[in-house]
Amino acid sequence: RTHAPADHGEATYRGGMTVCGGGHGLGSLQTPSGECVDLALPKNVLRRSGAWDGKAVVLTGTMDSRPRSLNFLWYDIGDRRIEGGGCSDDVLYVQTIEALR
């Protein structure tokens, strides 16, 4: 299923990133306050998932609504395919990633 990005405006998050290897482009970010945010990650990050998994990062992008049906195993947000499940109602379409030291 193709899901056109619904621009909810730009968002910035800081926290620890998890890259889900072996599947589609889903990752997640755990913020210092405990919030979990699903991520639609670019292909270059997925190709180097080991370099990014577990890293403290600052991410910017646009928030997109996840389809409300539980029947989707995956769906597309723009040019990125992600798993249907996750930890948040919305997904951050990641545009920039900055690794923190």
Side-chain angles (χ1 to χ4, degrees):
R1 177 187 192 286
T2 299
H3 181 74
D7 186 1
H8 296 307
E10 186 142 323
T12 300
Y13 287 95
R14 176 185 303 255
M17 184 167 69
T18 300
V19 179
C20 302
H24 298 302
L26 184 67
S28 64
L29 184 83
Q30 191 77 33
T31 69
S33 67
E35 180 182 7
C36 182
V37 179
D38 285 326
L39 309 172
L41 295 167
K43 286 185 174 39
N44 64 334
V45 172
L46 296 172
R47 282 193 295 270
R48 299 183 56 236
S49 61
W52 288 105
D53 190 48
K55 299 292 183 198
V57 295
V58 175
L59 304 175
T60 62
T62 53
M63 293 304 292
D64 185 71
S65 298
R66 180 185 298 281
R68 299 299 179 224
S69 172
L70 299 176
N71 297 328
F72 294 122
L73 295 178
W74 58 265
Y75 63 97
D76 295 331
I77 295 178
D79 62 342
R80 300 179 190 171
R81 177 163 288 179
I82 67 170
E83 281 83 5
C87 66
S88 61
D89 289 338
D90 294 326
V91 177
L92 181 69
Y93 183 93
V94 176
Q95 294 168 328
T96 66
I97 301 175
E98 176 189 350
L100 298 174
R101 301 211 184 270

